[in-house]
Amino acid sequence: MKTETTTLLVIGGGPGGYVAAIRAGQLGIPTVLVEGDRLGGTCLHVGCIPSKALIHAADEFERARRHAGSSPLGIRAPAPELDLPTLLGWKDGIVARLAGGVAALLKKSGVRVQSGRATIVDGKTVDVVDAAGERVRIGCAHLLLATGSRPASLPGLPYGGAVVSSTEALSPPSLPRRLVVVGAGYIGLELGTVYRKLGCEVAIVEALPRVLPAYDAELTRPVASSLRRLGVDLHLGCAVEGWDAGAGVLRVKGGDGAGFDVAADRVLVAVGRRPATSGYGLETLRLAMAGSAVGIDAECRTSMRDVWAIGDLTGEPMLAHRAMAQGEMVAEIIGGARRRFAPAAIPAVCYTDPEVVVAGLSPDDAAARHEGTLTSAQFPLAANGRALTLESADGFVRVVARRSDHRIVGWQAVGRGVAELAAAFGQSLEMGAVLEDVAHTIHAHPTLGEAVQEAALRALGRALHA
Ligand code: FAD
Ligand code: NAD
């Protein structure tokens, strides 16, 4: 067995682990990154990037179909056809290009990448078996765990055959005629919409009474309406009983207790993800847990000295930008900086049609935690010129602020193209902006950003365009 030592050993080359390694390398910290699959992790290979590529392609396909019908824009075009292998090749090309970029950045910052699955021996020692079967034992001063998460499964619906997770749904060998999606969260809605726009019949079965139940009802209403307009069958407040592969039906129990079947050729299970805590010796460390996730403090330290954890392994919110921010911070702390992970907000975007963005507190949070001390106001996109020219009048921008000093504590928006407002929302929260800061900023016309300014003006009682 080969042996070596390093200062920082990172297990997992997803957005959390590779960003931590790059920053550590930049700071001159001797760093080894162990990745058992592909650099870039879930996000790059089977998550954020391939899903957004397919969402874009499905939008384009659906737009072309609309033009082939009776487009109000006066565009007349022949009915489009889909070349699935070319589409998947285009998506994989984007992923490959970005993965090459990650490898180049790691190399540039002096990180040694060790391919192979890591097994934890103790808090300072990890064994790696590479593809050739050769074993390497790596000793380290600091161990950073960034092993991510795996799709959750349902007891009556094991993966295999027609029952797939998002990983398989992002690279389908063919499109099913009928897809049933279990779970109306991020993945279920993003990918369910893709399949529907590409021409499949889609039904969604959700346990709770609303789509995107983590968000407030008003924010998700335009998404539910759009799904219905697209022809997606929504079965809300329903329990999945099991999959009858022979009959090709999903057995479901409705909210009233009555059972019914949903016929399908494929079932996408999207009921959340679980931290990847098993299969690589993590349990030998006996770390304090926070539910099913590894417990961490505000510096991402675990309960064992010099063992750190970041990203999906540490639980919700399971978002790539959170993992990256934690990774960058841990590298800096190991490099001697004083840092804490205490963001004013971690914005989240759901790439549904229309898109949903949230950052900071919602009015529901405000009602629960800050009764009477907060105010909120929203501006409809129907009154925004840019939104109308983009055929996206459905939706709004909402601001939540403290009554006392007008300090902004939250933003939400729903509408086509609003994902890009996440930057403005995050900055205003992080910089401690007050309503007047946003209201008095000149926003370019015509842009969706004007709805941000108008929401702040409305909260001050002086909206101009509504
Ligand atoms: P991961 O990206 O999961 O990386 C963990 C890495 O560790 C993997 O490469 C794995 O191979 C490696 N590993 C695990 N165990 C070992 C071991 N023992 N030895 C060696 N290597 C190991 N988030 C967003 O912010 N925006 C989005 O739009 C978005 N879209 C998504 C769409 C889908 C379909 C999915 C599934 C997820 C999406 N996410 C999105 C979530 C995002 O992918 C995750 O939050 C993010 O990847 C977490 O990063 P991580 O570094 O913690 O873990
Ligand atoms: P999710 O938590 O977003 O949604 C899961 C949904 O499944 C929920 O609505 C839940 O009520 C429902 N559900 C749970 N058990 C069920 C059952 N037995 N029957 C029917 N419905 C059931 O999880 P996800 O969509 O699997 O995504 C996993 C994670 O990946 C997300 O939490 C998010 O952190 C990340 N992600 C982010 C993005 C993005 O940022 N745009 C996109 C995709 C995924």
Side-chain angles (χ1 to χ4, degrees):
M1 187 198 305
K2 282 199 293 188
T3 56
E4 69 173 279
T5 54
T6 185
T7 302
L8 172 62
L9 175 60
V10 183
I11 306 181
Y18 84 70
V19 166
I22 288 172
R23 187 67 192 128
Q26 289 171 346
L27 292 168
I29 300 167
T31 302
V32 174
L33 171 65
V34 184
E35 171 52 57
D37 192 355
R38 291 170 291 179
L39 288 174
T42 302
C43 177
L44 180 48
H45 295 279
V46 291
C48 326
I49 299 300
S51 61
K52 269 76 244 179
L54 291 188
I55 288 166
H56 171 70
D59 280 349
E60 292 295 307
F61 188 67
E62 197 245 346
R63 196 166 293 145
R65 271 160 49 125
R66 268 193 285 134
H67 293 327
S70 55
S71 160
L73 278 62
I75 300 171
R76 303 285 173 254
E81 284 174 18
L82 185 69
D83 174 351
L84 186 64
T86 301
L87 166 56
L88 298 181
W90 169 76
K91 174 208 64 156
D92 292 343
I94 295 170
V95 170
R97 190 169 159 178
L98 290 170
V102 171
L105 289 169
L106 287 163
K107 189 169 176 200
K108 188 173 150 200
S109 47
V111 174
R112 191 175 92 66
V113 175
Q114 171 68 56
S115 300
R117 268 195 80 71
T119 302
I120 296 170
V121 178
D122 59 39
K124 302 251 177 252
T125 319
V126 163
D127 282 353
V128 184
V129 180
D130 66 17
E134 196 169 344
R135 187 178 289 267
V136 187
R137 174 157 289 188
I138 308 172
C140 60
H142 296 270
L143 177 61
L144 173 55
L145 308 171
T147 50
S149 61
R150 301 176 186 134
S153 60
L154 290 176
L157 215 52
Y159 291 114
V163 180
V164 301
S165 74
S166 53
T167 299
E168 295 77 31
L170 288 166
S171 296
S174 62
L175 289 178
R177 188 165 72 78
R178 297 160 310 180
L179 173 75
V180 62
V181 179
V182 182
Y186 281 83
I187 294 177
L189 292 196
E190 288 188 356
L191 295 186
T193 304
V194 165
Y195 275 74
R196 179 64 196 137
K197 287 185 175 178
L198 293 180
C200 308
E201 289 173 27
V202 174
I204 300 182
V205 180
E206 162 62 45
L208 293 174
R210 295 195 281 113
V211 300
L212 290 177
Y215 296 156
D216 69 79
E218 200 177 8
L219 196 60
T220 56
R221 202 165 293 127
V223 178
S225 309
S226 156
L227 288 166
R228 291 200 173 94
R229 234 182 355 257
L230 283 167
V232 173
D233 277 339
L234 293 179
H235 302 287
L236 305 176
C238 293
V240 172
E241 309 255 86
W243 167 243
D244 184 334
V249 293
L250 188 73
R251 309 248 185 250
V252 181
K253 191 156 83 180
D256 57 2
F260 61 96
D261 293 345
V262 183
D265 311 300
R266 207 166 294 165
V267 186
L268 166 59
V269 180
V271 293
R273 293 180 63 88
R274 298 285 168 267
T277 51
S278 60
Y280 60 99
L282 181 71
E283 50 289 341
T284 60
L285 299 182
R286 296 176 176 272
L287 300 178
M289 304 296 284
S292 60
V294 169
I296 49 167
D297 67 9
E299 293 180 323
C300 292
R301 293 178 193 272
T302 68
S303 56
M304 182 179 273
R305 192 184 162 91
D306 296 334
V307 176
W308 313 69
I310 56 173
D312 285 10
L313 179 66
T314 62
E316 298 286 347
M318 293 194 188
L319 296 170
H321 41 283
R322 168 175 172 266
M324 292 193 230
Q326 290 176 320
E328 189 247 5
M329 180 195 76
V330 169
E332 296 226 332
I333 295 174
I334 292 171
R338 280 172 67 87
R339 295 275 306 270
R340 282 172 65 79
F341 192 72
I346 302 173
V349 176
C350 191
Y351 288 84
T352 35
D353 178 8
E355 294 160 356
V356 176
V357 193
V358 297
L361 297 184
S362 72
D364 286 354
D365 300 328
R369 288 196 262 153
H370 304 264
E371 190 82 54
T373 61
L374 298 178
T375 181
S376 75
Q378 66 190 46
F379 187 82
L381 291 182
N384 175 276
R386 180 63 179 153
L388 294 188
T389 63
L390 292 172
E391 303 176 86
S392 91
D394 255 7
F396 57 84
V397 175
R398 188 206 279 146
V399 65
V400 183
R402 288 204 297 239
R403 276 183 200 282
S404 56
D405 57 1
H406 296 178
R407 175 78 165 260
I408 297 171
V409 294
W411 290 100
Q412 299 84 41
V414 54
R416 195 167 294 160
V418 298
E420 297 303 326
L421 299 179
F425 293 171
Q427 276 166 8
S428 75
L429 292 168
E430 212 55 63
M431 295 177 78
V434 292
L435 290 168
E436 287 80 353
D437 291 324
V438 178
H440 298 162
T441 299
I442 297 177
H443 286 69
H445 176 74
T447 60
L448 296 179
E450 287 173 288
V452 176
Q453 183 182 11
E454 287 279 4
L457 279 166
R458 184 172 264 197
L460 292 168
R462 48 192 173 89
L464 292 167
H465 289 91

